[in-house]
Amino acid sequence: MIQVKIFDEDHEEDLEIAINEFLSIIPPENVVDIKYQIAVCDNVHSEDDTMFSFSAMIIFKKNGSLK
């Protein structure tokens, strides 16, 4: 069965940690693809409040009982 797992973090290092933890429970041959995206949003009320969203979607083959 093919499934997806979506990650979204405010900091790229947090995304990296979350993805690596998830990948540690999946056999490498079960990973089909990884999609990565960055979104940036400027706060119109303040120049100092630029928001970032680092996200990734892992497409994988599910075998057994993965969380």
Side-chain angles (χ1 to χ4, degrees):
M1 172 186 303
I2 300 291
Q3 292 200 333
V4 298
K5 176 78 173 173
I6 297 174
F7 299 87
D8 182 46
E9 299 289 345
D10 294 334
H11 302 285
E12 56 199 318
E13 292 87 5
D14 294 335
L15 179 64
E16 184 178 328
I17 291 167
I19 289 173
N20 284 332
E21 286 177 358
F22 181 73
L23 289 176
S24 72
I25 66 169
I26 298 176
E29 62 271 11
N30 285 18
V31 176
V32 175
D33 199 4
I34 299 175
K35 307 289 186 183
Y36 175 71
Q37 181 172 310
I38 301 171
V40 180
C41 179
D42 288 329
N43 186 336
V44 295
H45 301 292
S46 171
E47 293 180 15
D48 297 331
D49 284 341
T50 300
M51 296 186 323
F52 292 89
S53 174
F54 299 90
S55 58
M57 178 176 68
I58 300 177
I59 304 167
F60 65 99
K61 297 176 193 171
K62 183 175 180 181
N63 294 0
S65 60
L66 296 176
K67 293 181 181 178

